[in-house]
């Protein structure tokens, strides 16, 4: 299969650029500007997704599109209109071009934030009504809704927080904490959070690529096992060959400690759950390759061996 890939220079795109050829796929990379890539690809096309011109010609002959380009959650200073232009309108325009080019399936890397805010009081499935709480999540949901109005076969993968080499944001903060030699008072936080390893994401993409029939739906993608923050740190430190060194502190004192460091918002987030259920994707045939604990441990082990 020939796959057209957007976002090849991003965190997820760089991984797919390396991983998909190993799985036997040919790649055509759609780039905003000329750049050097870490691996050989079959072809590359230069163009601006926000100003598509003759994109159908660029997609000619592709069997599927994997669309990972876009503004990510947490980018500072990005107006809501910019999220809408790149994450929503450009996605829909690209899907239209793919349909005109005869592409069989359009795979959109969405986000769990299209379905909810930073926390959720119950385990979420695709059957729950989506209620995004920020511009990023709203732009992703609007893109999904736009795809649903097109006469094309599409899939949206609502990915939980993705971890792997080169991850930024919350995962980068966790890795810094895990590398520190200080004992951390995080064991008393019982809220669990869903994550998604890059390897499991690659397997999810391959599952929807190979699925027979017409899909036209969103799937939640997350490691089966949700972890507490303390368990995440323990798994990472195990990968570094160290003991967890995580202890309990009464929640009142822990909250006060976070407030004294100016991290009250962080504490409010990690002390509440965000657990999602990927059973629909599993029923489709997805088989996660790693548990969350093993994935986090392997992430740090690979980092330590560099």
């Amino acid at each position: 299969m020939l796959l057209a890939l957007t976002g090849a220079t991003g965190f997820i795109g760089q991984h797919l650029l390396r991983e998909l050829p190993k799985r036997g796929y040919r790649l055509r990379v759609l780039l905003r500007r000329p750049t050097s890539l870490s691996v050989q690809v079959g072809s590359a096309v230069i163009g601006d997704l926000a100003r598509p011109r003759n994109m159908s010609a660029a997609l000619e002959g592709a069997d599927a599109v994997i669309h990972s380009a876009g503004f990510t959650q947490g980018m500072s200073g990005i107006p809501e209109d910019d999220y809408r232009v790149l994450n929503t309108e450009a996605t829909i325009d690209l899907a239209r071009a793919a349909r005109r080019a005869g592409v069989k399936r359009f795979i959109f890397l969405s986000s769990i934030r299209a379905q909810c805010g930073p926390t959720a009081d119950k385990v979420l499935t695709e059957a729950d009504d989506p209620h995004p709480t920020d511009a990023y999540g709203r732009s992703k949901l609007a893109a999904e809704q736009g795809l649903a109005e097109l006469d094309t076969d599409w899939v949206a993968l609502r990915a939980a927080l993705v971890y792997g080499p080169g991850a930024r944001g919350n995962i980068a903060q966790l890795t810094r904490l895990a590398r520190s030699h200080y004992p951390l008072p995080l064991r008393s936080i019982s809220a669990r959070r869903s994550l998604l390893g890059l390897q499991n994401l690659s397997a999810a993409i391959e599952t929807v690529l190979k699925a027979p029939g017409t899909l036209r739906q969103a799937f939640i993608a997350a490691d089966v096992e949700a972890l507490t923050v303390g368990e995440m740190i323990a798994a990472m430190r195990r990968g570094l060959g160290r003991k967890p060194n995580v202890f309990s502190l009464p929640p009142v004192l822990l909250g006060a400690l976070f407030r004294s460091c100016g991290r009250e918002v962080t504490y409010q987030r990690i002390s509440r759950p965000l657990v999602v259920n990927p059973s629909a994707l599993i029923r489709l045939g997805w088989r996660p390759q790693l548990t969350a604990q093993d994935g986090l441990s392997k992430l740090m082990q690979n980092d330590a061996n560099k």
Side-chain angles (χ1 to χ4, degrees):
M1 293 179 68
L2 175 62
L3 308 178
L5 173 66
T6 72
T9 59
F11 162 56
I12 292 175
Q14 288 182 62
H15 171 77
L16 296 177
L17 198 62
R18 296 186 298 270
E19 182 65 22
L20 290 172
K22 296 177 184 177
R23 296 172 179 261
Y25 297 99
R26 295 179 296 134
L27 292 182
R28 178 182 298 158
V29 178
L30 308 184
L31 297 169
R32 185 174 183 180
R33 60 180 65 88
T35 186
S36 59
L37 299 173
S38 58
V39 297
Q40 293 294 322
V41 297
S43 58
V45 179
I46 309 301
D48 189 347
L49 291 177
R51 300 175 180 84
R53 294 180 181 177
N54 201 24
M55 191 61 74
S56 295
L59 298 174
E60 193 71 37
D63 296 288
V65 172
I66 301 174
H67 181 42
S68 70
F71 287 133
T72 60
Q73 195 271 334
M75 281 185 167
S76 59
I78 304 296
E80 183 149 0
D81 282 350
D82 288 352
Y83 277 110
R84 175 181 51 79
V85 168
L86 188 56
N87 289 1
T88 304
E89 295 176 4
T91 297
I92 297 168
D93 287 343
L94 183 63
R96 288 195 183 104
R99 180 188 58 187
R100 292 193 296 269
V103 174
K104 298 179 181 67
R105 182 162 289 164
F106 187 91
I107 299 172
F108 174 49
L109 293 191
S110 186
S111 168
I112 194 61
R113 295 300 294 271
Q115 188 160 345
C116 64
T119 65
D121 293 330
K122 67 174 185 175
V123 177
L124 297 176
T125 72
E126 298 87 349
D128 294 301
D129 290 334
H131 296 288
T133 60
D134 60 13
Y136 171 73
R138 288 189 290 270
S139 70
K140 289 289 191 177
L141 178 61
E144 294 180 14
Q145 293 168 336
L147 292 174
E149 295 176 358
L150 301 180
D151 182 21
T152 191
D153 189 13
W154 62 275
V155 176
L157 290 175
R158 291 179 179 169
L161 180 63
V162 180
Y163 63 90
R168 300 178 181 178
N170 292 333
I171 294 297
Q173 292 179 28
L174 277 174
T175 57
R176 284 194 291 269
L177 282 175
R179 289 191 191 103
S180 74
H181 290 272
Y182 298 109
L184 298 173
L186 300 174
R187 184 182 293 172
S188 56
I189 297 178
S190 60
R192 296 186 176 275
R193 313 279 298 182
S194 289
L195 303 171
L196 177 62
L198 277 176
Q199 285 182 274
N200 290 343
L201 174 58
S202 299
I205 289 172
E206 186 165 39
T207 297
V208 297
L209 277 171
K210 292 183 174 181
T214 301
L215 295 178
R216 292 184 55 82
Q217 66 183 99
F219 290 94
I220 287 174
D223 297 346
V224 175
E225 175 189 24
L227 303 178
T228 66
V229 175
E231 289 170 341
M232 294 176 197
I233 294 294
M236 288 178 165
R237 286 180 167 173
R238 185 170 65 250
L240 294 170
R242 290 162 42 195
K243 294 181 179 180
N245 209 9
V246 177
F247 65 95
S248 296
L249 197 66
V252 173
L253 294 179
L254 186 58
L257 178 62
F258 271 83
R259 283 193 297 274
S260 68
C261 299
R263 298 285 185 176
E264 183 173 5
V265 173
T266 300
Y267 178 70
Q268 292 298 324
R269 179 171 299 186
I270 66 175
S271 63
R272 294 186 60 195
L274 178 54
V275 180
V276 299
N277 183 346
S279 58
L281 193 56
I282 292 172
R283 288 194 298 270
L284 192 66
W286 178 53
R287 296 295 177 265
Q289 299 174 353
L290 292 171
T291 66
Q293 292 207 31
D294 288 344
L296 291 172
S297 180
K298 184 177 179 181
L299 168 64
M300 302 304 287
Q301 185 177 14
N302 292 340
D303 185 69
N305 291 335
K306 287 182 180 179

